[in-house]
Amino acid sequence: MAGGLDGGGVLDDVVTALIDGRGTVLTWSAAAAELTGRSASEVCGRPLAEQLAGTESDGSPADGALHLRGPTGEAVPVHCRLLPLDRPPAGGHRLLLAVRTDLAQELEQGAALLRALLAQDRIGFVLRDTDLVVERTNASPDLPSLRGMPTLPVGSTLGDVMAEPDADTSEHILRALLETGRPQAAHEQRVRSVTEPGLEWSFLVSAVRLDDRHGKPAGTAALLTDATAQWRAARRLELRHRAVAGIGVSLDVTTTAREIANVLAPAFADLVTVDLAEPVLTGDEPPKTSGGGDLHLRRAAMHSAGEIGPPGDLRTGDAIPPLPDRPQVRRLQAGHTVVLGRAELLEGLQDPELIRLIVPERAHCLAVAPLFARGLVLGTIAAWRINRTDRFDSGDSALLAEIAAHASLSVDNARRYAREHRAAVALQQRLLPRSATRTSVLETVGRYLPAADGGEIGGEIGGDWFDTILLPSLRVALVVGDVIGHGLHAAATMGRLRTAVQTLADLELPPDELLTRLDDLVARLAAEADPAHRDTIGATCLLALYDPVTRQCTLASAGHPPPVVAEPDGTARPLPVRPGPLLGVGGLPFETTTVELAPGSLLALYTDGLLVRQGGDLDSAVRTLEGRLGRLAASGQSLDAVGRELITGPGAATVADDTALLLARTIALDPDAVAEWQFPADPATVADARAAVVARLSAWGLDDLAFTTELIVSELVTNAIRYAGGPVGLRLILDTVLICEVSDPSNTQPRLRRARITDEGGRGLFLVAQLSHRWGSRYGPTGKTIWSEQQLEA
């Protein structure tokens, strides 16, 4: 055999001599000459006793130990045998065989060691030649084999007993050992069976190179220790760690189910399916059931190791069919893990259609663990072994139960989050206004996008809001705000602030005064809150008041980013708003900025989440927003398309902050829809005011409103002249309603009262209230304006 241990080197060291009956040396071998330093010519014909040292020199040698005389006369211990060559009477020829005692002991110990190794049943021993062919081993059919170790027949190679990847790895290591002589100590070797796919072991291998007497490689000797149990324990520990780290990362129920399946396949099984109770998928608790029937489960996730064939006919999203009432089903419902072989499983299901739907074709073993929390079955984890031939053992069952317990908490947390998120979204949807409004002078569209929180349910809700408040005289208030924080408390605070803004807007306060009062409200909310949470109560707000008659927009900001306006030609710029302090800080005034908006202008009010989505720092984000808004305004797209493009279009990043956007496009007011007059503080001008109104209404084709409008104007102008002085302004605005406004220089608020029978006055505002659909007053820079609205016939 190539490079094997043929034993030739041992025979070269054997001393031989032929001795006659008188003890005379007849022949003397080269090995004897080398050992004693005397050649055959010097020894032959002389008594053997002359070549002995010590007591052996006095007599004839016998079998056993003796001492030959060395080159310098020293005693060389040897182990000898005297073999007779014939059977004559005493004095016949004998053959002397001798070997140095140390070499004999080495050979005896080596043989004893080899016998001991070959007799082991807990330590594997493999002796290979330089071609890595097995020469001796204890893992053979006719010798006790290592428990769990594959059989290694004499003459076999690595590829005969190991799968190709493992054989290549092991051969590479042994080839390197033959080349370098550097031993391998406790190398972990994975072994997968060639004859039984899926069957695998792990061994700790220590190997050394065997050299002949000339120092050339003669083969390898390897000791193998079965570490399969420890390897499997390590794999299970690693799988536990992966389960802890990889399950529950998301707060979405379906995503959590996918995490479970991805962790377990293929590390634990070839195919893993996760079925969840239908109420769990929507955030509700499942019913407590017992026995078979329709368990209201739905396949939530499925993952497999490569191409293993169809896993039954159920796919993700399909409902699980009713199951028969079996003890295994009841054990699952009680929170226990169940392990079944294919025969036992088919016997329990019985129904061929049910088997076709549930059981993969080649599956031979199933382990099922319930997702059990608070006495309720949230779902099940089913692990199938198909390509792997080993069955689930008690350790696998315990591991699956442990992972299912951890996964149950994650699924239940995701379910609770889904329920709370659904409630929070419902609350916020009720608190936010409708997304679009349109009047004859302004079109608005609002969009809200929750923060990205990884839950994959729609994001985390927050306190950003927008509002469009329609005011008298065709004026519109545009509001955008951002409450500190996220979650239900932020949404609730947002709802309170939005309500307050609407209430204050109905008082027709100027933007700076409205923010001042809103600041007081936030300060009160902070004072009412728990001391630990007072610093988290605050908000920014931007308020824009647009008057379509004058085309002026008055803005005030409480720590909010400036709005951006785009002209019809695409030119965009941020408006020069002077931001005041955040709401709740108090002590500092808010300032207003007034700009004129041309018809067709596009005004964008937003929260800081939109700037973050643009990327970069604040200044570059504003410039990016300007450019995008200008291009979109010039494109002529609808407001809804513009809003969608700004928030979720290309280049918009996903951020951990919610975003509110309010877009408003101005519409030109027909010049003929407004008529204005101014009268001195003279009672005689009341008749002139009535005449002017009647003439204008006739031109508009509203003769049917002439009488009531004449009465309203007469009462309001008379009161202005009597109590406020002049000049008195009169304005009619024709829209979906007829608006009548009377302005005077007084800041005295009018008061509606019921006059007594004996009173000579006090009935003017009462008549106005009765004749109008609604009426009111507001303050201006130099006085007040009283207005009334009358509905028009369809």
Side-chain angles (χ1 to χ4, degrees):
M1 70 192 85
L5 295 174
D6 56 9
V10 176
L11 297 179
D12 290 342
D13 293 326
V14 177
V15 173
T16 61
L18 182 62
I19 304 169
D20 63 13
R22 294 187 301 271
T24 302
V25 178
L26 301 179
T27 61
W28 190 249
S29 68
E34 182 179 357
L35 181 64
T36 61
R38 286 174 289 280
S39 65
S41 60
E42 296 177 294
V43 176
C44 291
R46 304 185 66 84
L48 176 63
E50 293 181 3
Q51 309 306 320
L52 301 179
T55 58
E56 295 89 346
S57 63
D58 299 334
S60 178
D63 289 350
L66 56 81
H67 292 79
L68 293 176
R69 193 181 303 276
T72 59
E74 77 278 10
V76 179
V78 296
H79 189 82
C80 69
R81 292 289 300 275
L82 283 171
L83 302 176
L85 296 182
D86 49 26
R87 296 181 179 274
H93 288 48
R94 291 173 294 173
L95 178 65
L96 173 67
L97 299 176
V99 66
R100 287 203 331 258
T101 300
D102 57 347
L103 182 57
Q105 290 176 345
E106 181 180 338
L107 292 174
E108 290 180 1
Q109 292 171 349
L113 176 61
L114 183 60
R115 286 193 302 271
L117 291 175
L118 292 175
Q120 291 295 317
D121 62 355
R122 298 187 65 85
I123 300 177
F125 174 70
V126 184
L127 188 65
R128 299 178 184 272
D129 62 15
T130 54
D131 290 332
L132 303 183
V133 177
V134 176
E135 290 187 330
R136 301 292 296 274
T137 179
N138 61 348
S140 61
D142 52 348
L143 288 176
S145 62
L146 181 68
R147 181 176 56 190
M149 181 178 176
T151 300
L152 301 174
V154 173
S156 65
T157 62
L158 292 167
D160 295 334
V161 295
M162 299 170 62
E164 182 176 349
D166 306 325
D168 293 343
T169 302
S170 184
E171 180 173 356
H172 175 75
I173 294 173
L174 293 179
R175 290 293 180 192
L177 173 63
L178 286 172
E179 292 178 6
T180 65
R182 186 178 299 113
Q184 290 286 335
H187 168 72
E188 185 177 356
Q189 176 66 52
R190 183 182 179 188
V191 178
R192 281 166 287 195
S193 175
V194 174
T195 57
E196 298 183 68
L199 194 61
E200 54 187 336
W201 306 268
S202 177
F203 296 99
L204 294 179
V205 182
S206 297
V208 296
R209 186 177 74 182
L210 303 179
D211 296 337
D212 61 16
R213 64 179 302 174
H214 304 295
K216 295 182 179 180
T220 64
L223 295 177
L224 297 84
T225 304
D226 186 5
T228 305
Q230 296 87 336
W231 169 65
R232 288 177 178 170
R235 283 208 314 176
R236 288 168 179 165
L237 182 60
E238 180 185 0
L239 189 57
R240 288 187 183 95
H241 291 166
R242 288 181 53 199
V244 171
I247 298 175
V249 177
S250 170
L251 285 175
D252 176 58
V253 174
T254 303
T255 303
T256 302
R258 287 198 296 266
E259 293 169 353
I260 297 170
N262 293 343
V263 164
L264 291 175
F268 183 76
D270 298 312
L271 169 67
V272 174
T273 61
V274 180
D275 303 328
L276 296 178
E278 291 180 352
V280 172
L281 294 170
T282 58
D284 296 324
E285 287 194 347
K288 191 167 186 177
T289 58
S290 178
D294 190 355
L295 304 183
H296 302 285
L297 296 175
R298 192 169 291 274
R299 182 136 299 170
M302 184 166 52
H303 190 67
S304 62
E307 296 294 333
I308 63 170
D313 278 3
L314 291 181
R315 296 295 182 267
T316 302
D318 292 347
I320 305 301
L323 299 177
D325 190 359
R326 294 289 186 268
Q328 295 87 345
V329 175
R330 292 183 177 270
R331 281 182 54 80
L332 279 175
Q333 293 168 337
H336 301 290
T337 300
V338 176
V339 175
L340 299 171
R342 185 178 182 89
E344 187 180 3
L345 177 63
L346 298 182
E347 181 182 356
L349 294 177
Q350 294 183 347
D351 183 4
E353 179 64 18
L354 189 58
I355 294 173
R356 183 185 65 83
L357 290 174
I358 294 180
V359 183
E361 288 185 6
R362 297 182 291 110
H364 65 86
C365 188
L366 166 67
V368 188
L371 294 169
F372 200 68
R374 295 172 290 100
L376 300 174
V377 178
L378 306 178
T380 60
I381 304 173
W384 301 88
R385 285 189 174 170
I386 301 173
N387 293 333
R388 298 169 57 172
T389 59
D390 54 327
R391 289 176 55 91
F392 293 108
D393 57 20
S394 58
D396 294 328
S397 177
L399 174 62
L400 182 59
E402 183 178 342
I403 293 177
H406 169 74
S408 299
L409 295 178
S410 300
V411 171
D412 198 40
N413 287 339
R415 180 196 64 80
R416 290 171 180 263
Y417 177 81
R419 182 184 60 188
E420 294 177 3
H421 188 273
R422 183 179 59 189
V425 168
L427 172 63
Q428 190 183 50
Q429 288 176 345
R430 296 294 181 89
L431 295 176
L432 287 174
R434 60 182 181 179
S435 60
T437 60
R438 184 181 179 91
T439 69
S440 58
V441 294
L442 194 70
E443 177 189 7
T444 67
V445 166
R447 294 187 66 88
Y448 173 80
L449 191 65
D453 64 345
E456 299 187 17
I457 299 177
E460 185 179 6
I461 66 167
D464 289 16
W465 89 94
F466 63 87
D467 209 347
T468 301
I469 305 173
L470 303 181
L471 299 174
S473 304
L474 302 184
R475 299 181 311 144
V476 181
L478 306 174
V479 187
V480 167
D482 184 357
V483 174
I484 294 176
H486 297 88
L488 278 176
H489 74 279
T493 302
M494 176 269 288
R496 300 175 74 174
L497 294 185
R498 179 172 176 253
T499 301
V501 170
Q502 288 183 327
T503 302
L504 295 173
D506 284 341
L507 297 177
E508 300 192 68
L509 300 175
D512 55 341
E513 177 65 20
L514 191 151
L515 289 181
T516 300
R517 298 198 183 189
L518 196 62
D519 180 60
D520 295 337
L521 172 62
V522 174
R524 288 197 298 272
L525 294 178
E528 295 171 359
D530 186 278
H533 299 150
R534 287 177 182 173
D535 293 340
T536 64
I537 296 181
T540 65
C541 186
L542 176 67
L543 181 64
L545 181 61
Y546 175 64
D547 187 343
V549 178
T550 62
R551 296 180 182 174
Q552 289 186 337
C553 183
T554 303
L555 305 103
S557 170
H560 206 82
V564 177
V565 64
E567 305 293 342
D569 61 357
T571 303
R573 71 184 193 282
L575 294 180
V577 178
R578 294 184 288 273
L582 271 66
L583 296 177
V585 174
L588 295 174
F590 299 97
E591 300 184 31
T592 60
T593 300
T594 300
V595 296
E596 183 172 338
L597 299 180
S601 298
L602 180 58
L603 183 64
L605 290 77
Y606 51 88
T607 58
D608 56 359
L610 183 64
L611 294 180
V612 178
R613 292 177 187 275
Q614 309 307 310
D617 56 23
L618 181 62
D619 293 336
S620 63
V622 172
R623 289 193 297 270
T624 301
L625 180 60
E626 289 178 37
R628 297 182 66 189
L629 185 66
R631 290 191 297 270
L632 292 171
S635 68
Q637 298 184 52
S638 66
L639 286 187
D640 186 64
V642 172
R644 184 169 54 252
E645 185 73 13
L646 287 178
I647 289 186
T648 60
T654 300
V655 298
D657 192 11
D658 49 341
T659 301
L661 171 66
L662 180 60
L663 296 173
R665 179 176 283 151
T666 60
I667 302 174
L669 182 65
D670 187 354
D672 290 339
V674 180
E676 294 186 85
W677 302 273
Q678 196 169 49
F679 303 100
D682 185 353
T685 61
V686 176
D688 297 336
R690 290 199 301 265
V693 167
V694 171
R696 174 56 69 173
L697 293 179
S698 178
W700 284 341
L702 299 177
D703 295 311
D704 56 313
L705 294 179
F707 178 72
T708 56
T709 307
E710 190 177 3
L711 285 178
I712 292 173
V713 168
S714 178
E715 293 297 334
L716 294 180
V717 172
T718 300
N719 285 345
I721 294 173
R722 179 180 298 175
Y723 300 110
V728 177
L730 173 62
R731 183 166 68 177
L732 294 181
I733 304 174
L734 179 61
D735 191 58
T736 56
V737 294
L738 177 63
I739 303 168
C740 177
E741 297 180 342
V742 175
S743 303
D744 61 56
S746 172
N747 288 326
T748 303
Q749 178 71 26
R751 183 168 63 89
L752 177 65
R753 65 186 182 90
R754 183 180 295 275
R756 289 189 288 267
I757 297 177
T758 57
D759 291 341
E760 295 183 0
R763 297 175 178 84
L765 287 181
F766 181 78
L767 286 175
V768 172
Q770 295 299 311
L771 297 174
S772 304
H773 172 63
R774 62 174 184 158
W775 73 281
S777 66
R778 63 177 177 271
Y779 291 106
T782 59
K784 68 175 182 296
T785 298
I786 303 176
W787 55 268
S788 73
E789 290 182 1
Q790 299 177 74
Q791 290 184 322
L792 304 179
E793 294 183 1

